[in-house]
Amino acid sequence: MTHDLRHKCQIPITVTDEQLRTRFLDSTYNNAAVLSAVKMQQLYQTSLSQIKCPE
């Protein structure tokens, strides 16, 4: 998932996987979509498309 988020949001390699996870999981909007993607692989692409990239 971190690879897909990096690609979707153009996140630099200098941002660690842990920083990336924290940023998305701490987001009220993205938290449910990220957890859903992890729990339900069949909905992964749909959930991933609902995630908003951080500014």
Side-chain angles (χ1 to χ4, degrees), residues 32-52:
V34 169
L35 293 177
S36 176
V38 170
K39 290 179 182 179
M40 302 177 161
Q41 289 299 316
Q42 66 272 23
L43 298 176
Y44 181 80
Q45 290 300 325
T46 301
S47 296
L48 186 62
S49 70
Q50 294 173 356
I51 294 172
K52 292 183 180 177

PDB file of all heavy atoms in Angstrom, residues 32-52:
ATOM      1  N   ALA A  32     -10.286   5.975   7.542  1.00  0.00           N
ATOM      2  CA  ALA A  32     -11.247   4.909   7.225  1.00  0.00           C
ATOM      3  C   ALA A  32     -10.947   4.267   5.873  1.00  0.00           C
ATOM      4  O   ALA A  32     -11.027   3.047   5.728  1.00  0.00           O
ATOM      5  CB  ALA A  32     -12.668   5.457   7.250  1.00  0.00           C
ATOM      6  N   ALA A  33     -10.572   5.070   4.884  1.00  0.00           N
ATOM      7  CA  ALA A  33     -10.278   4.529   3.551  1.00  0.00           C
ATOM      8  C   ALA A  33      -9.028   3.645   3.585  1.00  0.00           C
ATOM      9  O   ALA A  33      -9.001   2.578   2.962  1.00  0.00           O
ATOM     10  CB  ALA A  33     -10.108   5.656   2.541  1.00  0.00           C
ATOM     11  N   VAL A  34      -8.012   4.072   4.330  1.00  0.00           N
ATOM     12  CA  VAL A  34      -6.786   3.279   4.436  1.00  0.00           C
ATOM     13  C   VAL A  34      -7.073   1.957   5.145  1.00  0.00           C
ATOM     14  O   VAL A  34      -6.679   0.887   4.669  1.00  0.00           O
ATOM     15  CB  VAL A  34      -5.675   4.065   5.179  1.00  0.00           C
ATOM     16  CG1 VAL A  34      -4.501   3.165   5.517  1.00  0.00           C
ATOM     17  CG2 VAL A  34      -5.219   5.252   4.345  1.00  0.00           C
ATOM     18  N   LEU A  35      -7.759   2.013   6.280  1.00  0.00           N
ATOM     19  CA  LEU A  35      -8.064   0.788   7.026  1.00  0.00           C
ATOM     20  C   LEU A  35      -8.958  -0.143   6.214  1.00  0.00           C
ATOM     21  O   LEU A  35      -8.786  -1.364   6.238  1.00  0.00           O
ATOM     22  CB  LEU A  35      -8.698   1.124   8.374  1.00  0.00           C
ATOM     23  CG  LEU A  35      -7.770   1.840   9.355  1.00  0.00           C
ATOM     24  CD1 LEU A  35      -8.515   2.181  10.633  1.00  0.00           C
ATOM     25  CD2 LEU A  35      -6.528   1.032   9.639  1.00  0.00           C
ATOM     26  N   SER A  36      -9.894   0.406   5.485  1.00  0.00           N
ATOM     27  CA  SER A  36     -10.757  -0.396   4.629  1.00  0.00           C
ATOM     28  C   SER A  36      -9.951  -1.101   3.542  1.00  0.00           C
ATOM     29  O   SER A  36     -10.167  -2.274   3.249  1.00  0.00           O
ATOM     30  CB  SER A  36     -11.838   0.492   3.997  1.00  0.00           C
ATOM     31  OG  SER A  36     -12.626  -0.250   3.109  1.00  0.00           O
ATOM     32  N   ALA A  37      -9.018  -0.376   2.948  1.00  0.00           N
ATOM     33  CA  ALA A  37      -8.179  -0.953   1.896  1.00  0.00           C
ATOM     34  C   ALA A  37      -7.354  -2.119   2.430  1.00  0.00           C
ATOM     35  O   ALA A  37      -7.187  -3.134   1.757  1.00  0.00           O
ATOM     36  CB  ALA A  37      -7.261   0.113   1.309  1.00  0.00           C
ATOM     37  N   VAL A  38      -6.863  -1.974   3.641  1.00  0.00           N
ATOM     38  CA  VAL A  38      -6.050  -3.029   4.242  1.00  0.00           C
ATOM     39  C   VAL A  38      -6.907  -4.251   4.580  1.00  0.00           C
ATOM     40  O   VAL A  38      -6.513  -5.379   4.342  1.00  0.00           O
ATOM     41  CB  VAL A  38      -5.331  -2.503   5.501  1.00  0.00           C
ATOM     42  CG1 VAL A  38      -4.683  -3.635   6.283  1.00  0.00           C
ATOM     43  CG2 VAL A  38      -4.301  -1.456   5.110  1.00  0.00           C
ATOM     44  N   LYS A  39      -8.092  -4.008   5.115  1.00  0.00           N
ATOM     45  CA  LYS A  39      -8.959  -5.102   5.568  1.00  0.00           C
ATOM     46  C   LYS A  39      -9.661  -5.824   4.421  1.00  0.00           C
ATOM     47  O   LYS A  39      -9.928  -7.006   4.493  1.00  0.00           O
ATOM     48  CB  LYS A  39     -10.008  -4.569   6.541  1.00  0.00           C
ATOM     49  CG  LYS A  39      -9.430  -4.151   7.863  1.00  0.00           C
ATOM     50  CD  LYS A  39     -10.497  -3.607   8.773  1.00  0.00           C
ATOM     51  CE  LYS A  39      -9.905  -3.144  10.082  1.00  0.00           C
ATOM     52  NZ  LYS A  39     -10.904  -2.588  10.978  1.00  0.00           N
ATOM     53  N   MET A  40      -9.982  -5.114   3.384  1.00  0.00           N
ATOM     54  CA  MET A  40     -10.782  -5.703   2.300  1.00  0.00           C
ATOM     55  C   MET A  40     -10.049  -5.567   0.978  1.00  0.00           C
ATOM     56  O   MET A  40     -10.217  -4.583   0.259  1.00  0.00           O
ATOM     57  CB  MET A  40     -12.137  -5.009   2.214  1.00  0.00           C
ATOM     58  CG  MET A  40     -12.933  -5.075   3.465  1.00  0.00           C
ATOM     59  SD  MET A  40     -14.450  -4.153   3.209  1.00  0.00           S
ATOM     60  CE  MET A  40     -15.440  -4.815   4.500  1.00  0.00           C
ATOM     61  N   GLN A  41      -9.231  -6.522   0.665  1.00  0.00           N
ATOM     62  CA  GLN A  41      -8.428  -6.457  -0.546  1.00  0.00           C
ATOM     63  C   GLN A  41      -9.257  -6.268  -1.819  1.00  0.00           C
ATOM     64  O   GLN A  41      -8.836  -5.613  -2.748  1.00  0.00           O
ATOM     65  CB  GLN A  41      -7.562  -7.709  -0.666  1.00  0.00           C
ATOM     66  CG  GLN A  41      -6.446  -7.760   0.330  1.00  0.00           C
ATOM     67  CD  GLN A  41      -5.478  -6.606   0.181  1.00  0.00           C
ATOM     68  OE1 GLN A  41      -5.088  -6.241  -0.918  1.00  0.00           O
ATOM     69  NE2 GLN A  41      -5.088  -6.007   1.294  1.00  0.00           N
ATOM     70  N   GLN A  42     -10.454  -6.825  -1.861  1.00  0.00           N
ATOM     71  CA  GLN A  42     -11.274  -6.695  -3.062  1.00  0.00           C
ATOM     72  C   GLN A  42     -11.744  -5.255  -3.280  1.00  0.00           C
ATOM     73  O   GLN A  42     -12.060  -4.863  -4.395  1.00  0.00           O
ATOM     74  CB  GLN A  42     -12.470  -7.658  -3.046  1.00  0.00           C
ATOM     75  CG  GLN A  42     -13.510  -7.388  -1.982  1.00  0.00           C
ATOM     76  CD  GLN A  42     -13.237  -8.056  -0.644  1.00  0.00           C
ATOM     77  OE1 GLN A  42     -12.104  -8.379  -0.337  1.00  0.00           O
ATOM     78  NE2 GLN A  42     -14.263  -8.247   0.135  1.00  0.00           N
ATOM     79  N   LEU A  43     -11.750  -4.446  -2.231  1.00  0.00           N
ATOM     80  CA  LEU A  43     -12.137  -3.043  -2.349  1.00  0.00           C
ATOM     81  C   LEU A  43     -10.925  -2.113  -2.354  1.00  0.00           C
ATOM     82  O   LEU A  43     -11.079  -0.898  -2.289  1.00  0.00           O
ATOM     83  CB  LEU A  43     -13.068  -2.655  -1.197  1.00  0.00           C
ATOM     84  CG  LEU A  43     -14.395  -3.398  -1.128  1.00  0.00           C
ATOM     85  CD1 LEU A  43     -15.161  -2.989   0.117  1.00  0.00           C
ATOM     86  CD2 LEU A  43     -15.217  -3.123  -2.371  1.00  0.00           C
ATOM     87  N   TYR A  44      -9.757  -2.694  -2.442  1.00  0.00           N
ATOM     88  CA  TYR A  44      -8.520  -1.936  -2.331  1.00  0.00           C
ATOM     89  C   TYR A  44      -8.465  -0.760  -3.315  1.00  0.00           C
ATOM     90  O   TYR A  44      -8.215   0.371  -2.912  1.00  0.00           O
ATOM     91  CB  TYR A  44      -7.321  -2.862  -2.541  1.00  0.00           C
ATOM     92  CG  TYR A  44      -5.991  -2.176  -2.431  1.00  0.00           C
ATOM     93  CD1 TYR A  44      -5.447  -1.910  -1.189  1.00  0.00           C
ATOM     94  CD2 TYR A  44      -5.294  -1.797  -3.562  1.00  0.00           C
ATOM     95  CE1 TYR A  44      -4.222  -1.281  -1.072  1.00  0.00           C
ATOM     96  CE2 TYR A  44      -4.071  -1.164  -3.456  1.00  0.00           C
ATOM     97  CZ  TYR A  44      -3.541  -0.915  -2.205  1.00  0.00           C
ATOM     98  OH  TYR A  44      -2.342  -0.283  -2.105  1.00  0.00           O
ATOM     99  N   GLN A  45      -8.668  -1.021  -4.585  1.00  0.00           N
ATOM    100  CA  GLN A  45      -8.551   0.040  -5.585  1.00  0.00           C
ATOM    101  C   GLN A  45      -9.600   1.129  -5.378  1.00  0.00           C
ATOM    102  O   GLN A  45      -9.315   2.315  -5.527  1.00  0.00           O
ATOM    103  CB  GLN A  45      -8.646  -0.537  -7.002  1.00  0.00           C
ATOM    104  CG  GLN A  45      -7.446  -1.356  -7.396  1.00  0.00           C
ATOM    105  CD  GLN A  45      -6.143  -0.567  -7.360  1.00  0.00           C
ATOM    106  OE1 GLN A  45      -6.112   0.617  -7.672  1.00  0.00           O
ATOM    107  NE2 GLN A  45      -5.079  -1.213  -6.962  1.00  0.00           N
ATOM    108  N   THR A  46     -10.817   0.734  -4.999  1.00  0.00           N
ATOM    109  CA  THR A  46     -11.869   1.713  -4.743  1.00  0.00           C
ATOM    110  C   THR A  46     -11.500   2.580  -3.556  1.00  0.00           C
ATOM    111  O   THR A  46     -11.611   3.808  -3.602  1.00  0.00           O
ATOM    112  CB  THR A  46     -13.217   1.015  -4.487  1.00  0.00           C
ATOM    113  OG1 THR A  46     -13.539   0.236  -5.642  1.00  0.00           O
ATOM    114  CG2 THR A  46     -14.315   2.004  -4.215  1.00  0.00           C
ATOM    115  N   SER A  47     -11.045   1.954  -2.490  1.00  0.00           N
ATOM    116  CA  SER A  47     -10.654   2.698  -1.294  1.00  0.00           C
ATOM    117  C   SER A  47      -9.461   3.602  -1.587  1.00  0.00           C
ATOM    118  O   SER A  47      -9.427   4.749  -1.149  1.00  0.00           O
ATOM    119  CB  SER A  47     -10.312   1.740  -0.157  1.00  0.00           C
ATOM    120  OG  SER A  47     -11.450   1.008   0.224  1.00  0.00           O
ATOM    121  N   LEU A  48      -8.496   3.093  -2.334  1.00  0.00           N
ATOM    122  CA  LEU A  48      -7.319   3.882  -2.670  1.00  0.00           C
ATOM    123  C   LEU A  48      -7.715   5.120  -3.469  1.00  0.00           C
ATOM    124  O   LEU A  48      -7.186   6.210  -3.247  1.00  0.00           O
ATOM    125  CB  LEU A  48      -6.325   3.031  -3.460  1.00  0.00           C
ATOM    126  CG  LEU A  48      -4.981   3.659  -3.776  1.00  0.00           C
ATOM    127  CD1 LEU A  48      -4.231   3.986  -2.488  1.00  0.00           C
ATOM    128  CD2 LEU A  48      -4.169   2.741  -4.650  1.00  0.00           C
ATOM    129  N   SER A  49      -8.681   4.987  -4.349  1.00  0.00           N
ATOM    130  CA  SER A  49      -9.098   6.132  -5.162  1.00  0.00           C
ATOM    131  C   SER A  49      -9.801   7.213  -4.318  1.00  0.00           C
ATOM    132  O   SER A  49      -9.888   8.359  -4.734  1.00  0.00           O
ATOM    133  CB  SER A  49     -10.016   5.686  -6.301  1.00  0.00           C
ATOM    134  OG  SER A  49     -11.268   5.276  -5.797  1.00  0.00           O
ATOM    135  N   GLN A  50     -10.275   6.870  -3.132  1.00  0.00           N
ATOM    136  CA  GLN A  50     -10.962   7.823  -2.267  1.00  0.00           C
ATOM    137  C   GLN A  50     -10.012   8.601  -1.354  1.00  0.00           C
ATOM    138  O   GLN A  50     -10.410   9.577  -0.728  1.00  0.00           O
ATOM    139  CB  GLN A  50     -11.996   7.101  -1.404  1.00  0.00           C
ATOM    140  CG  GLN A  50     -13.121   6.515  -2.212  1.00  0.00           C
ATOM    141  CD  GLN A  50     -14.049   5.662  -1.358  1.00  0.00           C
ATOM    142  OE1 GLN A  50     -13.809   5.458  -0.183  1.00  0.00           O
ATOM    143  NE2 GLN A  50     -15.092   5.164  -1.976  1.00  0.00           N
ATOM    144  N   ILE A  51      -8.758   8.192  -1.307  1.00  0.00           N
ATOM    145  CA  ILE A  51      -7.789   8.854  -0.444  1.00  0.00           C
ATOM    146  C   ILE A  51      -7.353  10.171  -1.073  1.00  0.00           C
ATOM    147  O   ILE A  51      -7.066  10.231  -2.261  1.00  0.00           O
ATOM    148  CB  ILE A  51      -6.558   7.935  -0.214  1.00  0.00           C
ATOM    149  CG1 ILE A  51      -6.998   6.709   0.576  1.00  0.00           C
ATOM    150  CG2 ILE A  51      -5.441   8.695   0.504  1.00  0.00           C
ATOM    151  CD1 ILE A  51      -5.940   5.648   0.691  1.00  0.00           C
ATOM    152  N   LYS A  52      -7.333  11.212  -0.268  1.00  0.00           N
ATOM    153  CA  LYS A  52      -6.873  12.530  -0.720  1.00  0.00           C
ATOM    154  C   LYS A  52      -5.412  12.685  -0.347  1.00  0.00           C
ATOM    155  O   LYS A  52      -5.020  12.400   0.784  1.00  0.00           O
ATOM    156  CB  LYS A  52      -7.686  13.639  -0.060  1.00  0.00           C
ATOM    157  CG  LYS A  52      -9.126  13.685  -0.505  1.00  0.00           C
ATOM    158  CD  LYS A  52      -9.827  14.851   0.151  1.00  0.00           C
ATOM    159  CE  LYS A  52     -11.271  14.909  -0.273  1.00  0.00           C
ATOM    160  NZ  LYS A  52     -11.999  15.996   0.411  1.00  0.00           N
TER     161      LYS A  52
END
